[in-house]
């Protein structure tokens, strides 16, 4: 069983105490956001093949990693160079990079991946801005992870309400990002991936097959997974979709591009 904690909220950042309580109790109850059905998942380390985290601020849980020592883990840490005009309550990217390094040193670089997403273009956050910041960050993180995943902003109605000046990233802009990010990543030996963005950037060496695939998780946990055929996979890529235990409308980062909160 793969338990996912990060597609609906940021549990490490805001609910680490609750999460550790669930570990101690040995189970968690999660509600399906579409039909309100309740699911009970066992936290027995012999049952859980991998705990998957996705966070913009892992620090609160990283301070208690010793309490998760019985579990295999895989972490996605999103580190963007945006200011508080966009990511209202997210710590500065240099602080998050420091926690990223600590996490990698504790678990190993195969257990942690850097996400730089979503990418959007404005006068302040221009193409040159992204290229310059990506190189700065890659130069700091390449010894602590083997890959980086990017995606471009999705303009859901809820996103447009909170970020009305947002616009689609054009094909030409995506190509500029792809070519330059690939050049920088090659310099620092970082494998580049896209998250549900089609195959446009494959021409620059990007891997568009998936960012949390069976191969990725097996590399993180050091074990082979027997995945039932046709189950647990994302419809748009080869990612394994774990049982998410988070709850929508609970993340307090206040990111203006957020899709997980309605307000």
């Amino acid at each position: 069983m793969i338990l996912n904690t990060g597609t609906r909220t940021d549990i490490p950042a805001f609910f680490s105490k609750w999460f550790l309580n669930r570990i101690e109790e040995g189970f968690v109850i999660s509600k399906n956001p579409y039909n309100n059905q309740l699911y009970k998942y066992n936290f027995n380390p012999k049952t859980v093949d991998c705990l998957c985290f996705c966070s913009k601020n892992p620090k609160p849980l990283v301070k208690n990693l010793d309490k998760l020592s019985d579990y295999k883990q895989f972490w996605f840490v999103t580190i963007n160079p945006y200011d508080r005009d966009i990511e209202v309550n997210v710590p500065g990217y240099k602080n998050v990079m420091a926690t990223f390094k600590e996490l990698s040193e504790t678990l190993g670089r195969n257990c942690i991946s850097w996400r730089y997403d979503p990418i959007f273009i404005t006068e302040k956050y221009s193409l040159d801005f992204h290229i310059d910041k990506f190189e700065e960050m890659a130069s700091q993180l390449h010894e602590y992870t083997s890959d980086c995943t990017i995606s471009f902003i999705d303009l859901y109605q809820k996103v447009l309400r909170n970020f009305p000046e947002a616009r689609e990233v054009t094909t030409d802009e995506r190509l500029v990002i792809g070519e330059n990010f690939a050049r920088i990543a090659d310099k620092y030996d970082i494998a580049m991936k896209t998250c549900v963005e089609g195959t446009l950037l494959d021409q620059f060496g990007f891997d568009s097959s998936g960012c949390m695939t069976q191969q990725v998780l097996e590399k993180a946990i050091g074990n082979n997974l027997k995945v039932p055929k046709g189950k647990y996979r994302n419809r748009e890529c080869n990612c394994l979709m774990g049982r998410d235990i988070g709850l929508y409308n609970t993340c307090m980062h206040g990111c203006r591009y957020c899709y997980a909160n309605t307000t």
Side-chain angles (χ1 to χ4, degrees):
M1 179 169 64
I2 300 167
L3 278 179
N4 192 333
T5 73
T7 59
R8 300 173 185 169
T9 192
D10 194 328
I11 287 177
F14 300 113
F15 307 106
S16 59
K17 184 176 180 180
W18 169 86
F19 182 76
L20 293 172
N21 285 340
R22 300 321 316 143
I23 291 286
E24 186 174 350
E25 290 290 331
F27 71 93
V28 64
I29 294 176
S30 178
K31 182 172 70 172
N32 185 310
Y34 303 106
N35 58 22
N36 293 324
Q37 184 174 350
L38 299 178
Y39 298 92
K40 183 177 181 180
Y41 300 124
N42 191 329
F43 260 129
N44 188 325
K46 295 181 180 179
T47 303
V48 178
D49 294 288
C50 186
L51 291 175
C52 293
F53 298 98
C54 189
S55 179
K56 287 184 170 70
N57 179 21
K59 189 171 184 177
L61 191 53
V62 168
K63 292 186 294 185
N64 294 281
L65 272 186
D66 59 308
K67 297 179 180 179
L68 302 179
S69 59
D70 290 336
Y71 299 89
K72 301 292 186 180
Q73 301 169 51
F74 179 73
W75 285 76
F76 264 129
V77 180
T78 300
I79 314 177
N80 299 322
Y82 301 130
D83 292 330
R84 292 187 181 273
D85 60 328
I86 301 297
E87 297 181 338
V88 180
N89 297 314
V90 177
Y93 72 95
K94 293 182 179 179
N95 292 327
V96 183
M97 285 199 297
T99 306
F100 187 100
K101 294 174 183 179
E102 180 183 352
L103 188 56
S104 176
E105 289 173 341
T106 302
L107 298 178
R109 69 198 300 266
N110 289 336
C111 298
I112 185 168
S113 182
W114 170 30
R115 295 188 72 95
Y116 185 112
D117 74 327
I119 296 171
F120 56 85
I121 307 297
T122 66
E123 183 176 352
K124 178 178 179 179
Y125 301 109
S126 64
L127 285 171
D128 287 341
F129 170 90
H130 284 291
I131 294 166
D132 290 344
K133 288 297 184 180
F134 182 77
E135 175 141 28
E136 175 194 339
M137 297 163 77
S139 70
Q140 294 291 314
L141 297 177
H142 70 100
E143 295 181 1
Y144 300 92
T145 187
S146 59
D147 58 80
C148 176
T149 299
I150 69 168
S151 70
F152 300 98
I153 192 168
D154 290 313
L155 297 182
Y156 300 107
Q157 285 302 312
K158 63 183 72 174
V159 174
L160 290 173
R161 285 198 300 270
N162 296 321
F163 196 4
E165 66 269 37
R167 62 170 177 81
E168 291 281 357
V169 181
T170 67
T171 298
D172 286 344
E173 290 169 336
R174 293 177 187 226
L175 290 171
V176 171
I177 289 287
E179 183 175 11
N180 282 277
F181 276 30
R183 171 183 54 80
I184 294 166
D186 184 63
K187 177 180 176 181
Y188 293 104
D189 196 25
I190 295 175
M192 293 302 300
K193 301 180 181 182
T194 54
C195 181
V196 194
E197 294 293 349
T199 60
L200 177 68
L201 301 188
D202 286 12
Q203 61 188 293
F204 303 118
F206 279 70
D207 179 357
S208 60
S209 65
C211 51
M212 200 172 77
T213 63
Q214 182 173 344
Q215 182 182 16
V216 168
L217 294 184
E218 287 178 342
K219 189 175 180 180
I221 68 176
N223 216 339
N224 293 327
L225 294 170
K226 295 182 179 179
V227 182
K229 192 173 182 179
K231 290 188 177 183
Y232 309 117
R233 298 189 185 276
N234 192 334
R235 295 177 182 178
E236 298 181 81
C237 60
N238 292 326
C239 288
L240 297 181
M241 302 304 291
R243 304 302 190 183
D244 199 303
I245 61 173
L247 188 68
Y248 286 125
N249 295 307
T250 59
C251 185
M252 293 173 276
H253 283 312
C255 302
R256 297 180 66 202
Y257 52 72
C258 180
Y259 67 87
N261 287 349
T262 55
T263 58

